[in-house]
Amino acid sequence: MRNLIFEEPDVRAPKYSSSHLRYAWESIRAPVIIPLLKLAVILCSAMSIMLFIERVVMATVCAIVKVLGKKKYRKYNLDVMKQKLQRNKRFPKVLIQIPMYNEKEVYKLSIGAVCGLSWPSDRLIVQVLDDSTNPVLRELVELECHKWIAKGVNVKYETRTHRNGYKAGAMKEGLEKQYVEDCEFVAIFDADFQPDADFLWNTIPYLLENPKLGLVQARWKFVNSEECMMTRLQEMSLDYHFSVEQEVGSSTYSFFGFNGTAGVWRIQAIKDAGGWKDRTTVEDMDLAVRASLKGWEFIFVGDVTVKNELPSTFKAYRFQQHRWSCGPANLFKKMTKEILLCKRVPLFKRLHLIYAFFFVRKIIAHWVTFFFYCIVIPACVIVPEVQLTKKIAIYIPAAITILNALSTPRSLHLLVCWILFENVMSLHRTKAAIIGLLEANRVNEWVVTEKLGNIMKQKNNARASTSRTSWFQMLERVHPLEIIVGMYMLHCAIYDLLFGHDHFFVYLLLQAGAFFTMGFGLVGTFVPN
């Protein structure tokens, strides 16, 4: 069997048609494949070192901030600020925006949570921006709004006859309403976000205390992180984002991005930045960058959390990750020159924004994960002339992984699963980042992330409906790209097992299994149509 599948190469011209492929491979192996693979190893090694240095710096700064108690928001005395606000009774007028699009499962949760915020009712406007295309659902959302209006909450139900600009367009038009003119701040919550009643009391005082603050960003808390393996692994990635990236950016006064929800903006900062723009699929990051270039400061308050839902189907997660990877790459292309030429912001902050925030985290991180770990390393197994050092191939990736995973201690036992999952997702993130840089097809694709709302009820429905699942629904869960990459890694694993002198086949077999698992849709919650 070994000789049949992996016969040693014969460079002579083939006598039989079955040898044509092997002969073609050997013809280009030395003059083309080996030099290109060596170049790929050098480039990927450089990118891997760049990512490693960035992660070490972030971890070091984060550790110093925690040990010395230098978190930016801790410099303020929130209790004193609250008392001052209550004593003066000069409550600013706050607008709450809830953009939604066909949010059948969660619209009641978000509207109910926002309408339950403890803030003087005459100083609060709840604006439901409903772009739903389902007329029945529109009636239900409007009915829910009227229910809260009857309870004394100032709710404005706004709809459009188009979806121009998607979420950014809806919020932009919402801010142009006449009744918003005397509002000083705007809080934004996506349709699946449920703030606690004291959210405004824990965020608005920061903006009142410091007139230079343009944004207060709260942390996300996931209500369905225990639902399935995929949500557990997503939690690990997002915990790193909030615990390290957002915290370090806020505490060092450098830069961190707006997460699009669970935050409060000073409306004047939005106006100074030029308002909402729909030129990319990350309108939140776009606004944050422009506001930062105008001199506005941001603060991340990690003690304030807002409940929300993670995508628990692989289809929904893929669409979300495409938007989150394509948009930043596209914004990087559009704004690099503008950032460099901005004289109001210090040079170091501008370079940090371009190099660390955009280039390393939004592009290099995806590229090195996919090209190096899923393409180049497996290729080096079947082309042994190209040597990989253990420091680059094993030690540095392991260190990066551990630094990422430390943000979620309760899930450290899932470390191997998280590595394999992230490597598979890097396929889509890399493709999306390239689309964003080239402004190719799907660059402005906007697909709203599906929510399930009542998780336990949905699980019960899924179990009850399994027997009615059609073959068409099963085929919808098959993803050819993952299967192709899985076959490639399986081939490299078998080759290494038969002819190799190392143990890369262990990693390759596990990674091939991960690609097949996700390629055949065996991950995430199954939701029947």
Side-chain angles (χ1 to χ4, degrees):
M1 186 69 178
R2 167 173 171 163
N3 291 332
L4 285 174
I5 299 177
F6 295 106
E7 187 178 348
E8 287 300 318
D10 181 3
V11 295
R12 294 175 297 176
K15 296 180 180 180
Y16 305 102
S17 57
S18 60
S19 301
H20 278 290
L21 186 60
R22 187 175 70 246
Y23 177 74
W25 165 255
E26 290 304 325
S27 299
I28 63 172
R29 179 187 178 102
V32 179
I33 300 298
I34 293 176
L36 285 178
L37 191 55
K38 286 182 177 179
L39 178 61
V41 168
I42 294 172
L43 292 176
C44 288
S45 298
M47 289 192 294
S48 189
I49 292 171
M50 290 166 62
L51 183 61
F52 171 71
I53 293 173
E54 195 269 345
R55 290 292 189 264
V56 170
V57 170
M58 294 281 282
T60 303
V61 174
C62 189
I64 293 173
V65 166
K66 288 184 177 180
V67 171
L68 300 181
K70 295 293 185 180
K71 291 184 178 181
K72 188 175 179 180
Y73 65 94
R74 296 279 172 82
K75 296 177 63 178
Y76 299 85
N77 192 323
L78 183 61
D79 291 333
V80 173
M81 292 190 296
K82 286 182 180 180
Q83 292 171 6
K84 181 180 178 181
L85 181 59
Q86 288 176 326
R87 186 170 55 252
N88 295 336
K89 296 190 181 300
R90 295 179 181 176
F91 298 99
K93 199 165 187 179
V94 180
L95 173 71
I96 310 288
Q97 288 187 322
I98 312 176
M100 59 175 60
Y101 173 74
N102 294 337
E103 308 285 0
K104 177 182 177 182
E105 294 80 6
V106 294
Y107 74 90
K108 284 188 178 182
L109 296 174
S110 60
I111 294 175
V114 167
C115 290
L117 290 172
S118 60
W119 197 255
S121 57
D122 62 326
R123 309 302 293 168
L124 185 68
I125 301 176
V126 177
Q127 191 180 64
V128 178
L129 305 169
D130 189 11
D131 275 358
S132 299
T133 53
N134 185 330
V136 175
L137 182 56
R138 277 197 174 192
E139 291 181 9
L140 292 173
V141 175
E142 187 173 10
L143 185 64
E144 183 70 14
C145 292
H146 284 300
K147 184 183 81 173
W148 286 100
I149 291 174
K151 293 181 180 181
V153 183
N154 188 4
V155 181
K156 304 292 184 180
Y157 178 68
E158 304 289 352
T159 61
R160 302 191 296 169
T161 58
H162 55 80
R163 285 194 70 208
N164 294 347
Y166 301 108
K167 178 181 173 181
M171 292 190 294
K172 180 180 180 181
E173 292 188 24
L175 288 177
E176 293 171 353
K177 302 297 181 182
Q178 187 174 0
Y179 57 80
V180 178
E181 290 180 358
D182 57 343
C183 291
E184 191 174 348
F185 307 111
V186 54
I188 302 168
F189 299 101
D190 283 349
D192 60 315
F193 278 71
Q194 305 161 50
D196 291 335
D198 59 353
F199 176 84
L200 294 179
W201 281 98
N202 292 329
T203 53
I204 295 294
Y206 293 101
L207 292 160
L208 294 175
E209 186 72 15
N210 185 355
K212 295 181 180 180
L213 274 183
L215 166 68
V216 176
Q217 174 69 60
R219 182 170 179 156
W220 298 0
K221 180 181 179 181
F222 312 110
V223 297
N224 65 330
S225 60
E226 300 285 350
E227 183 183 352
C228 61
M229 178 65 77
M230 196 177 78
T231 54
R232 285 291 295 272
L233 301 179
Q234 288 179 65
E235 182 189 37
M236 294 177 71
S237 300
L238 289 170
D239 276 350
Y240 176 82
H241 169 68
F242 286 108
S243 300
V244 180
E245 292 179 343
Q246 299 290 77
E247 192 65 75
V248 170
S250 174
S251 299
T252 58
Y253 300 86
S254 52
F255 176 80
F256 70 90
F258 174 45
N259 294 121
T261 179
V264 185
W265 275 94
R266 191 185 300 272
I267 294 180
Q268 187 58 47
I270 296 178
K271 293 179 179 179
D272 287 350
W276 292 102
K277 293 185 179 180
D278 59 356
R279 55 181 175 175
T280 70
T281 57
V282 283
E283 73 294 324
D284 45 9
M285 187 182 295
D286 187 355
L287 176 62
V289 172
R290 288 184 282 112
S292 178
L293 296 181
K294 291 293 183 179
W296 288 99
E297 298 176 2
F298 306 154
I299 190 171
F300 172 71
V301 185
D303 290 344
V304 179
T305 59
V306 181
K307 293 182 290 186
N308 72 296
E309 181 181 323
L310 291 164
S312 58
T313 65
F314 187 45
K315 177 182 177 182
Y317 187 58
R318 284 180 66 190
F319 280 125
Q320 182 200 69
Q321 292 302 299
H322 173 85
R323 189 172 76 247
W324 286 6
S325 302
C326 179
N330 190 225
L331 185 63
F332 173 62
K333 178 182 179 180
K334 292 178 183 296
M335 292 207 67
T336 299
K337 183 178 179 180
E338 183 179 346
I339 294 170
L340 284 174
L341 297 179
C342 179
K343 300 300 182 183
R344 175 176 292 188
V345 178
L347 179 61
F348 176 79
K349 186 173 181 178
R350 281 179 278 156
L351 293 178
H352 170 269
L353 180 57
I354 292 173
Y355 174 78
F357 182 81
F358 276 114
F359 187 59
V360 176
R361 297 182 206 165
K362 309 303 180 185
I363 297 176
I364 291 297
H366 304 325
W367 287 10
V368 73
T369 304
F370 177 66
F371 287 121
F372 196 28
Y373 307 149
C374 301
I375 301 296
V376 174
I377 290 180
C380 290
V381 169
I382 58 177
V383 184
E385 292 88 347
V386 180
Q387 297 293 324
L388 276 174
T389 61
K390 287 186 177 180
K391 289 182 181 179
I392 299 297
I394 299 176
Y395 301 147
I396 287 182
I400 293 173
T401 301
I402 293 171
L403 290 174
N404 277 279
L406 286 175
S407 300
T408 315
R410 76 184 190 93
S411 297
L412 283 176
H413 62 287
L414 300 175
L415 190 60
V416 173
C417 295
W418 181 75
I419 294 170
L420 300 176
F421 177 76
E422 285 294 296
N423 286 354
V424 176
M425 288 310 303
S426 69
L427 165 64
H428 299 285
R429 292 169 182 151
T430 299
K431 182 177 69 172
I434 293 173
I435 289 173
L437 288 174
L438 299 180
E439 296 193 319
N441 189 28
R442 293 185 66 196
V443 66
N444 290 318
E445 178 185 75
W446 181 281
V447 179
V448 176
T449 305
E450 296 176 354
K451 292 94 177 178
L452 299 185
N454 191 328
I455 300 302
M456 293 308 296
K457 179 180 177 182
Q458 192 68 48
K459 281 187 172 183
N460 294 332
N461 289 343
R463 282 196 290 268
S465 305
T466 302
S467 60
R468 297 194 297 270
T469 301
S470 66
W471 280 104
F472 177 75
Q473 288 173 277
M474 295 298 292
L475 289 175
E476 275 189 326
R477 294 169 63 87
V478 175
H479 307 286
L481 270 179
E482 284 89 341
I483 296 173
I484 292 171
V485 178
M487 292 174 63
Y488 162 71
M489 300 194 81
L490 179 61
H491 172 83
C492 296
I494 296 174
Y495 187 96
D496 187 58
L497 182 63
L498 297 177
F499 300 113
H501 302 289
D502 50 45
H503 296 88
F504 273 123
F505 68 86
V506 176
Y507 157 72
L508 294 173
L509 285 173
L510 289 172
Q511 190 63 70
F515 271 100
F516 287 136
T517 299
M518 298 174 76
F520 287 106
L522 304 177
V523 66
T525 301
F526 175 65
V527 183
N529 292 334

